Amino acid sequence: MATAQISLPLPVLPEGWSAPNDFKAIGTLSTPNQRNLEPVGPHFLAHARRKRHKRTFSEDERIQAQENVKKVEDEDAGDISEAEDPLMLGRDAKDWKGQDHYAVLGLSKHRYRATDSQIKRAHRKKVLRHHPDKRAATGSSEDDSFFKCIQKAFEVLTDPTKRRQFDSVDENANVDPPSKKAASKSASAFYKLWGPVFESEARFSKTQPAPKLGNDKSSREDVEEFYNFWFNFESWRSFEYQDEDVPDDTENRDQKRHVERKNNNARKKKKTEDTARLRQLVDDCLAGDERIKKFKKEARAGKDKKKLEREAEEKRVLEEAKKAKEEKEKLLKEKEDAEKMEKAEGKKAKEAAKNAAKKNKRILKGSVKDANYLLPVGEEAGAKRVDEVLGDVEAVMGKIDNEELAALAGKLGGLKVAEEVGKAWKEEVERLVGEGKLKSGEMKILGS
């Protein structure tokens, strides 16, 4: 490349400039001291390391990064160290709702007990191991799908609301109740097997701490407190995590509201089922608890046994004679009452069934009328159209029983739009055709 040199003259000094003549020294330099300087510090150590191992800057940085990762992993190799499942490493990041966030971060054995510190340490460890830049530096062909799973797990578990929603449906944290046979093997087996079950369920309690199951030496007050607590259990558990995703399309508001209603109904159903499940679990535990039997036995033993037996015997003799007479009269009266009730119930049932059938038929006929006999809004239904539609309705009603009639009426009761009513009738006709109760093409309007 050609170069050019340009000479520039110094600027001309102003008139009257006399600095060399006016200069006055106001001090002198101190006597110089000789000192030995030694090269130290991280940068010198890095320079020495590169020289010793004959590395370039990039090679040294890569090797140091690997050593730092190993150091971090060794430091966290205690309570947050788990073997990684190969199937988990191949997860699709889009299916993040189906992943086990605790397992992704290596916290399977901690789950809802994991602290914020453990979650952050586990996240750092996973990021250092699976970061795309680090994987690329080591020549790995693994994509960043699992790294996205790690980031999503960290996002959920560090957000108190999202974490609580996930903990509500984390079935891996549940402890299955023992079988009756396993719990009754020994006195200690009952408490050993049932205790963890209630400790697991207690994480959903609004009141903390929850009372423990205890052991065979627990007092009557403690046992009663335990069962009273669980029979009146107040749970914060919710099921939003399993909601169907609400579409973000603001133009389709009806679809959005439909999905929201569907999610709300699903949550209520799951909440009801979970309450019933927990109540059954408490009932099963109570039924096998030998302490309850012991307390009842002790209560009975505290009474005067002889006095109770004497009074019971006297009462028994008097009551037997009275009971024999009353039993005879009771049987006669019950027989008469049963016959009367049977007749009345039979008559009542027939009337109720008859009235229900009439009402349901009115609903069926009214559904097509309200839907303008399945014609578009604004189009008037002629007499022929009315007769054909009502004729089809009568034909269908003649092929179904009262239960099917009630079911169809329930389906049509809330429908007003012609398309929805027509669809419901079409489904019913197709069902009857499939069951052989109607012939294909027998319907003029409803089956088309």
Side-chain angles (χ1 to χ4, degrees):
M1 179 183 292
T3 59
Q5 293 183 351
I6 302 175
S7 298
L8 295 176
L10 294 174
V12 178
L13 295 175
E15 294 183 2
W17 188 78
S18 60
N21 299 326
D22 298 336
F23 177 77
K24 294 180 180 180
I26 60 174
T28 59
L29 295 176
S30 61
T31 305
N33 294 323
Q34 186 174 358
R35 296 285 188 268
N36 293 326
L37 301 178
E38 296 182 1
V40 295
H43 296 290
F44 171 74
L45 294 176
H47 168 75
R49 185 176 60 248
R50 289 193 297 269
K51 287 294 184 182
R52 178 185 177 187
H53 298 289
K54 298 180 180 179
R55 299 174 184 166
T56 63
F57 274 91
S58 59
E59 289 174 343
D60 187 66
E61 288 177 355
R62 176 174 57 80
I63 294 173
Q64 286 299 110
Q66 293 174 351
E67 291 178 355
N68 289 335
V69 170
K70 189 175 185 305
K71 182 179 178 181
V72 171
E73 290 178 350
D74 292 340
E75 290 175 353
D76 293 336
D79 58 345
I80 59 171
S81 179
E82 288 182 2
E84 293 180 333
D85 184 357
L87 294 177
M88 182 178 64
L89 295 177
R91 283 196 62 87
D92 184 359
K94 295 180 181 178
D95 185 25
W96 62 270
K97 270 199 173 184
Q99 75 178 22
D100 184 347
H101 298 308
Y102 290 111
V104 168
L105 294 183
L107 296 169
S108 297
K109 62 183 179 182
H110 296 281
R111 298 203 167 273
Y112 63 91
R113 299 185 185 90
T115 63
D116 292 340
S117 174
Q118 288 174 325
I119 293 173
K120 291 177 181 178
R121 286 164 53 205
H123 175 254
R124 179 182 64 171
K125 178 178 177 180
K126 292 291 183 180
V127 168
L128 288 175
R129 179 180 296 178
H130 295 283
H131 195 283
D133 293 343
K134 197 263 184 183
R135 306 296 295 184
T138 58
S140 174
S141 60
E142 180 183 328
D143 59 17
D144 63 347
S145 182
F146 185 64
F147 180 74
K148 293 178 180 178
C149 293
I150 294 171
Q151 296 301 86
K152 193 63 183 182
F154 184 69
E155 175 192 335
V156 171
L157 298 183
T158 52
D159 185 304
T161 302
K162 293 180 180 179
R163 182 180 181 184
R164 193 174 231 205
Q165 291 175 357
F166 175 71
D167 286 341
S168 291
V169 297
D170 184 13
E171 296 182 357
N172 292 315
N174 296 338
V175 178
D176 294 331
S179 64
K180 185 177 180 181
K181 182 178 180 181
S184 60
K185 281 186 177 181
S186 64
S188 60
F190 178 85
Y191 308 105
K192 184 177 180 181
L193 296 175
W194 274 107
V197 174
F198 286 100
E199 288 177 10
S200 173
E201 295 292 339
R203 70 187 191 272
F204 301 124
S205 176
K206 292 182 179 179
T207 303
Q208 294 290 346
K212 300 294 184 66
L213 177 62
N215 51 42
D216 56 348
K217 295 182 176 59
S218 298
S219 66
R220 179 169 186 160
E221 291 75 15
D222 292 339
V223 175
E224 289 179 349
E225 179 188 2
F226 173 81
Y227 284 109
N228 287 336
F229 176 85
W230 286 102
F231 277 122
N232 300 284
F233 187 73
E234 293 184 5
S235 172
W236 56 258
R237 190 177 190 183
S238 60
F239 298 89
E240 294 94 339
Y241 192 82
Q242 296 175 336
D243 282 355
E244 178 183 341
D245 292 336
V246 179
D248 295 331
D249 185 5
T250 55
E251 296 181 358
N252 196 352
R253 295 181 179 178
D254 292 338
Q255 175 65 14
K256 184 176 181 180
R257 283 194 291 267
H258 170 71
V259 174
E260 289 174 348
R261 286 195 300 269
K262 185 178 178 181
N263 287 336
N264 287 332
N265 293 335
R267 289 179 209 161
K268 292 178 182 178
K269 182 179 179 181
K270 291 173 183 176
K271 186 72 172 179
T272 302
E273 291 174 349
D274 184 65
T275 302
R277 177 195 63 81
L278 183 60
R279 181 57 186 263
Q280 184 62 49
L281 186 145
V282 179
D283 288 339
D284 292 343
C285 181
L286 178 66
D289 197 336
E290 293 295 331
R291 297 173 301 182
I292 303 299
K293 300 175 184 178
K294 182 182 73 172
F295 295 148
K296 290 181 179 179
K297 186 177 180 180
E298 291 174 352
R300 289 194 299 267
K303 297 180 181 179
D304 189 348
K305 185 177 180 181
K306 291 183 178 180
K307 182 179 179 180
L308 290 175
E309 289 178 349
R310 184 178 66 250
E311 291 176 354
E313 181 62 21
E314 292 174 355
K315 187 176 181 180
R316 183 185 66 81
V317 174
L318 293 174
E319 287 182 350
E320 279 185 355
K322 183 179 179 181
K323 185 177 179 181
K325 181 179 178 181
E326 291 177 350
E327 190 70 18
K328 185 176 180 181
E329 295 174 353
K330 181 180 178 182
L331 291 173
L332 182 61
K333 188 175 184 304
E334 286 179 351
K335 184 177 179 182
E336 293 175 354
D337 292 344
E339 291 175 353
K340 292 180 181 178
M341 185 176 296
E342 185 178 355
K343 291 180 181 179
E345 290 294 333
K347 184 177 180 181
K348 186 177 179 181
K350 289 180 180 179
E351 287 294 328
K354 185 177 179 181
N355 292 335
K358 289 181 180 179
K359 180 180 178 181
N360 291 331
K361 288 180 179 180
R362 288 196 299 269
I363 292 175
L364 265 58
K365 292 179 180 180
S367 68
V368 294
K369 180 180 179 182
D370 293 341
N372 195 27
Y373 297 97
L374 309 185
L375 289 175
V377 178
E379 185 175 341
E380 184 177 359
K384 181 180 178 181
R385 176 73 177 194
V386 173
D387 291 341
E388 288 177 344
V389 173
L390 293 179
D392 287 351
V393 171
E394 290 289 345
V396 171
M397 290 190 299
K399 301 295 183 180
I400 58 178
D401 56 27
N402 288 340
E403 291 183 0
E404 294 172 328
L405 185 66
L408 181 57
K411 186 186 297 186
L412 293 168
L415 303 179
K416 299 296 183 182
V417 182
E419 290 78 3
E420 296 177 346
V421 174
K423 181 180 179 182
W425 275 106
K426 185 177 181 180
E427 291 175 352
E428 183 66 14
V429 170
E430 290 176 349
R431 184 184 70 82
L432 294 174
V433 171
E435 294 178 357
K437 295 181 180 180
L438 280 176
K439 295 181 180 179
S440 180
E442 187 176 347
M443 297 291 99
K444 297 180 180 179
I445 302 297
L446 297 184
S448 58

